[in-house]
């Protein structure tokens, strides 16, 4: 099975989940989260392979605790300690995904890994929403032509696409240096901002039908709005502002 | 069977490309050392927008002597040129004199030029002695480039050019010009265009500077009055100029200069930033990391033989926005030198115009986005 086949299979299996609990059960059972963990405990492969699965699942508007099974974390978010997909199922976020209130915030390698995987989650959501936006603009007809033929609309399509591309590039930089927490922070901050921008543009292009359950766009945008705040860019970007020129310039240069 | 059972034992860590990457890291270090030495020796002063306004023929010859012009056609490729140009732009080094030849016309000559043209020009470009300006835009053909009216008429052994080009940076001191001209009319406007390489010292060529809001500036208009171009200086095929020039646009738009024009100002801002500025400066750092990676991806695709027009347009649109946002943050950080801010402010209006306006890029990007979803 090649990686694209694994991604396709994951989307198919998780697409059949009855609810969030079922999605969590399926994810644990399948063991995709062991990608990027060396054998014999894990499945081998690379962290990049795992981000590919996370992206594909998210792009399909699906939820899965893949990042949390791979790297369980407690996050500091606006003064609260959040354990996404924590075991107690105490609360749910805007997208219906569970979280607990944790006691001690994570740090070190596990947090770095989670940030990269969570960035992949946002990248997938951005790619899915941007693709839907492009497809809708190309087919929805008003004033006798597809709305994409209006330059004001095509600029929105371009913006959504560009933001998804940028977030994906940020993720690739983080994967080039997966031990460097700061490039993971950068990737997550960029992906969070892209999530905001893509969701806004996607709804604008879709018009009123975009908010309906029938259209299905909200499966992506509700997730983007939930995911972008774990934590939001306002808590991440200050970590990058006082690095000095050399350190900032060398972020993500690990594969060179 | 679950994924876990099926996959066990079948993955292997990727080591592909590691050797090449290590060599590239060494090249970056070599470039950094040389630039730092030149800086220490007072060879240049850093400034923003140095790839357009930092014109220094001696500096270009220094780079030529190091073998650092023409990497893309001398067996090194776009990924190495990306590393080199990133470090030069980071330092704000004056690279304008050879920039056009190194970025797009040299590669076009290497790919499409006659043997005679390659022999005549590539060594001079590599040395920093042959300097190119671009003859694309005209008074009535800006974003609508296919509307060019400059005509080339067949004559003995070549072509005679008549018409006018505009916004040709540094044309008054360029040795050669790239000229997009119409060789036949009456058909669809995208057909009948041809690319030429013109010797600026040929009779019938006049270049005149157009002062801009900073002073004499770099802009010129160029007039052709029966200027002769030999057959050997036709680039590619007669009549196929449109397809060739749009391919060239990927090289024109897809480089690090579309992100880093104000990097010297960002460097000053990073040095001056305090805790109160950390969020806004950090946003720039995060975005820059992603943008530079995107530039690296574009360079890799060029090395793979592609002309990634959509990706290059995406890079340029986002990069130009970044370049201006750097100025806006710098304005608010105490201690960033006023002169460096002002220098960037006066350069900024051109960022999102040159090489294709943001509005035109939006159309190109949207087309790619819709093509990708069928």
């Amino acid at each position: 099975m090649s990686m694209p086949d694994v991604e396709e299979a994951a989307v198919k299996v998780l697409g059949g989940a009855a609810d969030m609990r079922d999605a969590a059960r399926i994810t644990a059972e399948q063991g995709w989260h062991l990608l990027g963990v060396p054998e014999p405990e894990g499945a081998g492969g690379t962290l990049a392979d795992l981000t590919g699965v996370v992206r594909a699942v998210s792009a399909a508007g699906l939820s899965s605790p893949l990042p949390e099974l791979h790297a369980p974390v407690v996050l500091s978010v606006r003064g609260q300690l959040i354990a996404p997909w924590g075991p107690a199922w105490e609360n749910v976020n805007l997208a219906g995904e569970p979280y607990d209130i944790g006691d001690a915030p994570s740090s070190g390698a596990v947090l770095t890994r989670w940030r990269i995987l969570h960035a992949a989650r946002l990248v997938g959501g951005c790619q899915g929403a941007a693709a839907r936006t492009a497809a809708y603009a190309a087919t929805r007809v008003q004033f006798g032509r597809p709305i994409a033929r209006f330059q004001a609309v095509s600029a929105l399509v371009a913006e959504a696409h560009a933001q998804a591309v940028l977030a994906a590039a940020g993720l690739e930089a983080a994967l080039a240096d997966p031990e460097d927490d700061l490039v993971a922070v950068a990737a997550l901050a960029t992906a969070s901002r892209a999530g905001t921008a893509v969701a806004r543009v996607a709804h604008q292009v879709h018009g009123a039908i975009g908010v309906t359950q029938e259209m299905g766009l909200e499966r992506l945008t509700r997730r983007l709005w939930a995911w972008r705040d774990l934590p939001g860019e306002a808590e991440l970007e200050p970590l990058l502002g006082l690095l000095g020129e050399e350190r900032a310039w060398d972020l993500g240069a690990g594969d060179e | 069977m679950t994924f876990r059972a099926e996959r066990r034992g079948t993955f292997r860590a990727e080591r592909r490309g590691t050797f090449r990457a290590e060599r590239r890291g060494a090249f970056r270090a070599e470039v950094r050392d040389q630039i730092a030495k030149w800086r220490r020796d007072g060879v240049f002063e850093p400034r923003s927008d140095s790839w357009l306004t930092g014109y220094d023929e001696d500096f270009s010859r220094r780079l030529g002597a190091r073998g650092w012009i023409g990497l893309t056609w001398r067996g090194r490729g776009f990924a190495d040129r990306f590393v080199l140009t990133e470090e030069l732009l980071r330092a704000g080094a004056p690279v304008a004199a050879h920039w056009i030849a190194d970025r797009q016309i040299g590669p076009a000559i290497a790919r499409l030029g006659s043997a005679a043209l390659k022999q005549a020009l590539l060594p001079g470009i590599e040395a920093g002695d042959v300097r190119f300006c671009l003859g694309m835009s005209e008074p009535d053909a800006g974003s609508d480039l296919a509307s060019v009216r400059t005509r080339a008429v067949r004559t003995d052994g070549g072509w005679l050019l008549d018409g006018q080009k505009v916004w040709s940076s540094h044309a008054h001191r360029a040795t050669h010009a790239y000229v997009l001209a119409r060789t036949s009319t009456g058909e669809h406007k995208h057909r009948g265009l041809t690319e030429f390489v013109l010797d600026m010292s040929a009779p019938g060529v006049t270049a005149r500077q157009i002062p801009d809001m900073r002073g004499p500036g770099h802009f010129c208009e160029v007039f052709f009055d029966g200027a002769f171009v030999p057959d050997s200086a036709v680039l590619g095929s007669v009549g196929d100029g449109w397809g060739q020039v749009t391919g060239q646009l990927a090289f024109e738009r897809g480089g690090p200069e579309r992100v880093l024009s104000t990097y010297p100002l960002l460097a000053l801002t990073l040095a001056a930033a305090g805790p109160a500025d950390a969020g806004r400066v950090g946003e720039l750092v995060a975005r820059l990391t992603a943008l530079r990676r995107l530039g690296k991806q574009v360079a890799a695709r060029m090395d793979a033989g592609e002309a990634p027009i959509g990706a290059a347009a995406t890079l340029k649109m986002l990069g130009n926005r970044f370049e201006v946002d750097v100025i806006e943050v710098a304005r608010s950080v105490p201690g960033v030198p006023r002169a460096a801010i002002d220098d960037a402010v006066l350069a900024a209006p051109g960022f999102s115009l040159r090489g294709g306006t943001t509005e035109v890029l939006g159309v190109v990007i949207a087309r790619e986005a819709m093509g990708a979803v069928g």
Side-chain angles (χ1 to χ4, degrees), chain A:
Chain A
M1 215 194 257
S2 69
M3 276 319 297
D5 292 337
V6 175
E7 291 165 16
E8 198 179 313
V11 170
K12 190 155 174 254
V13 178
L14 281 167
D19 54 23
M20 288 292 171
R21 282 186 194 277
D22 205 24
R25 182 189 59 77
I26 291 169
T27 305
E29 206 173 271
Q30 289 286 333
W32 301 297
H33 61 284
L34 297 171
L35 279 166
V37 178
E39 299 167 61
E41 293 81 10
T46 64
L47 186 60
D49 292 332
L50 178 53
T51 60
V53 180
V54 172
R55 255 158 64 147
V57 166
S58 303
L62 299 169
S63 292
S64 165
L66 271 173
E68 291 74 20
L69 286 173
H70 184 90
V73 286
V74 176
L75 308 161
S76 172
V77 180
R78 298 196 304 136
Q80 249 193 332
L81 292 174
I82 303 279
W85 294 88
W89 222 278
E90 293 165 358
N91 306 283
V92 292
N93 67 18
L94 189 57
E97 297 168 339
Y99 67 92
D100 295 347
I101 300 300
D103 42 22
S106 305
S107 61
V110 69
L111 181 59
T112 303
R113 285 224 150 193
W114 182 85
R115 280 173 168 157
I116 292 172
L117 292 167
H118 188 61
R121 195 179 245 159
L122 276 154
V123 167
C126 286
Q127 289 173 329
R132 286 191 67 131
T133 300
Y136 185 78
T139 50
R140 166 70 173 167
V141 173
Q142 287 286 274
F143 303 101
R145 48 190 166 147
I147 58 173
R149 298 275 290 279
F150 295 95
Q151 208 175 91
V153 177
S154 87
L156 295 175
V157 172
E159 184 64 22
H161 177 79
Q163 291 295 334
V165 166
L166 183 70
L171 173 63
E172 192 185 286
L175 286 168
D177 227 340
E179 314 295 318
D180 181 356
D181 187 48
L182 289 177
V183 67
V185 167
L188 184 51
T190 300
S192 296
R193 282 191 182 266
T196 301
V198 171
R200 185 167 57 215
V201 165
H203 278 289
Q204 186 64 23
V205 170
H206 277 80
I209 202 162
V211 303
T212 63
Q213 292 188 15
E214 182 191 352
M215 187 49 139
L217 178 66
E218 54 95 35
R219 283 201 295 275
L220 285 154
T221 54
R222 281 161 65 104
R223 284 175 172 80
L224 288 173
W225 289 320
W227 296 340
R228 68 178 176 166
D229 277 335
L230 287 177
E233 66 273 8
E235 289 181 77
L236 296 168
E237 287 160 358
L239 304 174
L240 305 168
L242 302 174
L243 302 182
E245 195 271 338
E246 285 214 12
R247 179 75 171 93
W249 181 259
D250 283 335
L251 284 180
D255 58 348
E256 204 171 68

Side-chain angles (χ1 to χ4, degrees), chain B residues 8-356:
Chain B
R8 194 176 292 283
T10 58
F11 283 100
R12 199 170 300 139
E14 282 180 27
R15 297 294 297 166
R16 174 165 52 90
T18 303
F19 172 74
R20 198 176 303 170
E22 276 164 14
R23 187 184 55 66
R24 189 154 299 129
F27 180 52
R28 190 183 284 277
E30 181 191 347
V31 173
R32 276 183 200 186
D33 289 348
Q34 176 64 80
I35 291 173
K37 183 174 184 311
W38 281 332
R39 238 344 245 123
R40 279 195 307 276
D41 296 346
V43 169
F44 71 93
E45 282 298 316
R47 69 178 295 186
S48 286
D49 210 30
S50 68
W51 63 275
L52 186 60
T53 50
Y55 186 95
D56 182 339
E57 294 175 10
D58 289 337
F59 189 80
S60 293
R61 289 195 189 97
R62 275 177 197 270
L63 286 179
R66 286 268 348 208
W68 287 351
I69 301 177
L71 292 185
T72 56
W73 64 85
R74 297 167 82 183
R76 296 286 294 275
F78 286 92
D80 275 358
R81 179 179 182 271
F82 179 77
V83 165
L84 172 68
T85 51
E86 266 203 341
E87 292 293 334
L88 287 165
L89 296 166
R90 175 193 185 195
V95 290
H98 68 276
W99 193 261
I100 302 297
D102 179 60
R103 176 179 74 188
Q104 67 195 95
I105 306 304
I109 291 172
R111 206 169 57 249
L112 302 167
S114 65
L117 193 65
K118 288 183 202 174
Q119 203 175 1
L121 293 183
L122 290 182
I125 292 175
E126 291 161 14
D129 292 326
V130 169
R131 301 178 302 277
F132 264 87
C133 65
L134 290 178
M136 290 190 186
S137 293
E138 297 183 4
D140 293 320
S143 290
D144 183 11
L145 183 59
S147 293
V148 299
R149 286 198 214 147
T150 293
R151 288 175 51 221
V153 178
R154 206 80 187 84
T155 188
D156 233 14
W159 302 78
L160 294 174
L161 291 180
D162 280 281
Q164 180 190 354
K165 294 292 177 179
V166 73
W167 317 131
S168 303
S169 294
H170 305 293
H172 62 301
R173 44 195 176 184
T175 60
H176 293 76
Y178 160 93
V179 179
L180 182 67
R182 189 158 291 289
T183 41
S184 60
T185 50
E187 334 155 55
H188 192 274
K189 71 177 181 180
H190 293 105
R191 294 193 203 109
L193 293 169
T194 301
E195 297 183 300
F196 296 93
V197 169
L198 171 71
D199 186 331
M200 288 294 282
S201 66
V205 181
T206 313
R208 200 176 66 82
Q209 278 187 274
I210 305 170
D212 65 17
M213 61 187 178
R214 322 174 77 170
H218 53 85
F219 277 145
C220 292
E221 51 189 345
V222 184
F223 300 90
F224 312 115
D225 181 11
F228 177 73
V229 182
D231 280 323
S232 63
V234 170
L235 270 182
S237 310
V238 172
D240 283 349
W242 183 252
Q244 292 172 201
V245 75
T246 49
Q248 196 186 121
L249 287 176
F251 303 104
E252 183 172 345
R253 292 169 176 164
E257 74 272 33
R258 303 304 182 179
V259 177
L260 298 174
S261 295
T262 55
Y263 188 84
L265 182 61
L266 178 59
L268 295 168
T269 307
L270 283 162
D277 314 306
R280 281 164 308 140
V281 175
E283 188 277 321
L284 294 175
V285 169
R287 190 155 32 128
L288 178 61
T289 305
L291 284 167
R292 287 179 57 209
R293 177 59 55 157
L294 186 52
K296 193 172 180 162
Q297 293 170 351
V298 169
R301 289 178 61 183
M302 288 176 181
D303 276 333
E306 295 177 52
I309 293 168
T314 303
L315 175 71
K316 179 167 151 41
M317 181 180 82
L318 295 172
N320 292 160
R321 194 182 293 171
F322 173 82
E323 293 174 329
V324 172
D325 289 347
V326 165
I327 301 174
E328 299 312 314
V329 173
R331 284 173 60 218
S332 70
V333 174
V336 177
R338 188 75 240 171
I341 296 172
D342 291 348
D343 195 36
V345 165
L346 291 178
F351 296 169
S352 48
L353 301 174
R354 59 195 186 193

